[in-house]
Amino acid sequence: MADSAETAIEKAAELLPNLVLMDIQLQGEMDGIHAAELIWNRFQIPIVYITGHSDKSTVDRAKLTFAFGYILKLIKEQQLYVAIQTALNCYQREQLSQLQRLNQFKEDFLATTSHEMRMPLKNIKMTISVLENILQREGIFNSELLSPFESVAGYLTILRQQCEEGLDLVNNLLSMQMIDTDVYPLEISSFKLQDWLPHLALYFRERARSQQQIFQVSIPQNLPPIVTDLALLSKIVSELLNNACKYSPPDEEIQLTAQIIYLTKDFINEDAQSGIEIDSQVPFFEIKISNSGVIIPQKDQSRIFDPFYRIPDNDFWKHGGTGLGLALVKKLVEYLQGTIEFTSTQGWTRFTVILPLSL
């Protein structure tokens, strides 16, 4: 209870209530309409007016303050309950419309800006390649007159790396936006993990060797074909292997394994007249990427898939990144009707991807 506008505003700030019942006539210089306007603008708390004034000018003033109800004295208890419930329902619906508009604006803005950024970055990347060819023809690409830190090749390498990081960021933003709006195009094909995964791992095997890391691949040769989107699965595994190489110190181990596992799934037996539920062991593919020598702190583990979150001081090789990789991986796995699990314990960090045999 408050008998002045100043006290009402203080109480609203202190309690942050779901609703304020505001009498227009208050003590002091400010009336209830002025107090309601300040409370709404500062805290977005819905207001229901309780007053003996029903003249048009008062009602018009009250409408300008986003009032969610207007009750005339003398008040009946049931009328008050209805007014409160109606006001809360209207407020919730309005908040939902505002959220939907905000999300739509965010998606439109993200899609537009990402497309606009993509083209100049691609042009920069192409220009770097052309410049390299010109400098090689002129014989000044690796000039002996310059130190290694001042060489043209060194500067161009920095340009290329920064450009590719920018393109990766834009492409990841576009991919996440397309997945969120359920318009990412799927290209389903059938292939064998035992044939495809070792080939994909060749680049990362060589990278691990150059960083004095141990790289192990273990995949049975009798796995059945998987029916899914090859390009999306390539993005998933590549990003996880990239992280394993990026964060593992020398002499540590990186493992890539794949196998069939069986998970219990409940379903209704439609052939049975009783329609009873039965448990069935359903086969799934399990792809596991593990690396030793790195432990993710417990306080950071819950945020590992958050967009733009990067674990502080955990990039051993200082490659950098945007913090979108794992967020995109999680979305891609779920888009392929799978799940991803993460553990970091006893000297090993492990990502386990579970996918259906057929999408």
Side-chain angles (χ1 to χ4, degrees):
M1 298 292 291
D3 58 5
S4 69
E6 291 79 8
T7 307
I9 295 169
E10 290 175 3
K11 287 293 183 182
E14 176 188 349
L15 302 174
L16 293 177
N18 298 93
L19 184 77
V20 171
L21 303 177
M22 182 69 73
D23 198 321
I24 290 180
Q25 293 297 321
L26 297 175
Q27 295 182 11
E29 296 182 358
M30 282 193 295
D31 65 5
I33 295 178
H34 193 183
E37 183 178 16
L38 293 175
I39 289 173
W40 174 257
N41 290 338
R42 293 182 187 178
F43 312 114
Q44 295 288 290
I45 299 172
I47 306 291
V48 172
Y49 286 110
I50 301 177
T51 181
H53 295 269
S54 59
D55 59 278
K56 186 177 185 303
S57 61
T58 301
V59 173
D60 289 342
R61 280 188 64 212
K63 287 181 179 178
L64 294 176
T65 59
F66 303 97
F68 285 81
Y70 195 93
I71 306 174
L72 293 176
K73 300 175 181 178
L74 295 168
I75 304 167
K76 295 182 179 179
E77 187 174 352
Q78 186 61 35
Q79 179 188 11
L80 180 61
Y81 288 151
V82 171
I84 291 174
Q85 190 61 57
T86 302
L88 290 175
N89 291 341
C90 290
Y91 175 72
Q92 290 169 359
R93 285 197 299 269
E94 181 173 295
Q95 293 297 100
L96 180 60
S97 298
Q98 290 179 353
L99 180 61
Q100 290 172 341
R101 287 197 298 269
L102 181 62
N103 286 337
Q104 186 62 49
F105 172 79
K106 180 191 70 173
E107 291 171 2
D108 293 343
F109 175 79
L110 181 61
T112 302
T113 53
S114 297
H115 279 293
E116 292 296 325
M117 292 170 59
R118 196 178 196 181
M119 187 54 65
L121 285 170
K122 291 179 73 174
N123 289 339
I124 292 172
K125 186 176 182 180
M126 181 181 66
T127 304
I128 292 171
S129 298
V130 173
L131 183 59
E132 284 177 337
N133 292 331
I134 294 174
L135 293 174
Q136 284 177 339
R137 287 202 305 268
E138 297 294 328
I140 59 174
F141 188 73
N142 291 307
S143 174
E144 295 179 358
L145 299 177
L146 298 173
S147 70
F149 298 102
E150 296 174 331
S151 68
V152 174
Y155 288 129
L156 287 175
T157 298
I158 294 172
L159 280 174
R160 187 187 302 107
Q161 289 174 346
Q162 294 298 309
C163 182
E164 288 177 352
E165 282 190 18
L167 274 172
D168 287 342
L169 172 61
V170 171
N171 289 332
N172 286 345
L173 286 171
L174 281 172
S175 296
M176 293 179 70
Q177 194 266 342
M178 293 172 71
I179 291 172
D180 287 340
T181 54
D182 201 26
V183 295
Y184 201 106
L186 286 174
E187 296 184 8
I188 308 300
S189 61
S190 176
F191 55 95
K192 292 186 176 180
L193 292 180
Q194 58 267 39
D195 298 331
W196 166 73
L197 274 177
H199 178 74
L200 177 71
L202 283 177
Y203 163 76
F204 298 99
R205 183 192 293 275
E206 181 59 27
R207 178 176 165 185
R209 187 190 64 79
S210 69
Q211 298 178 164
Q212 290 80 50
Q213 298 161 338
I214 304 165
F215 195 97
Q216 301 288 345
V217 178
S218 177
I219 305 170
Q221 292 302 304
N222 61 346
L223 294 178
I226 184 173
V227 180
T228 191
D229 188 298
L230 177 59
L232 295 193
L233 188 54
S234 297
K235 283 179 177 286
I236 293 167
V237 177
S238 295
E239 181 63 32
L240 294 175
L241 286 175
N242 178 61
N243 279 352
C245 291
K246 181 191 297 187
Y247 296 116
S248 296
D251 301 321
E252 296 296 340
E253 189 170 348
I254 299 169
Q255 296 179 354
L256 170 62
T257 64
Q259 63 177 347
I260 291 288
I261 62 170
Y262 289 85
L263 301 177
T264 301
K265 186 175 181 180
D266 296 334
F267 71 98
I268 297 178
N269 185 355
E270 297 179 354
D271 295 330
Q273 292 182 355
S274 60
I276 60 173
E277 292 187 3
I278 59 175
D279 292 338
S280 175
Q281 292 292 307
V282 179
F284 289 86
F285 283 107
E286 178 191 78
I287 301 174
K288 192 175 292 184
I289 292 93
S290 312
N291 62 300
S292 65
V294 176
I295 292 295
I296 310 300
Q298 187 68 37
K299 62 183 178 61
D300 295 308
Q301 293 188 15
S302 62
R303 303 188 60 188
I304 198 75
F305 294 110
D306 289 355
F308 299 107
Y309 182 73
R310 300 188 67 232
I311 299 169
D313 304 322
N314 207 38
D315 188 348
F316 183 85
W317 300 98
K318 306 303 178 185
H319 290 296
T322 62
L324 273 182
L326 289 177
L328 178 59
V329 162
K330 188 173 189 295
K331 286 181 177 292
L332 291 175
V333 170
E334 292 172 350
Y335 204 65
L336 294 181
Q337 301 173 8
T339 60
I340 183 168
E341 299 173 354
F342 161 76
T343 59
S344 186
T345 182
Q346 298 181 346
W348 285 88
T349 293
R350 182 169 290 113
F351 289 89
T352 304
V353 176
I354 309 294
L355 294 170
L357 271 62
S358 180
L359 183 62

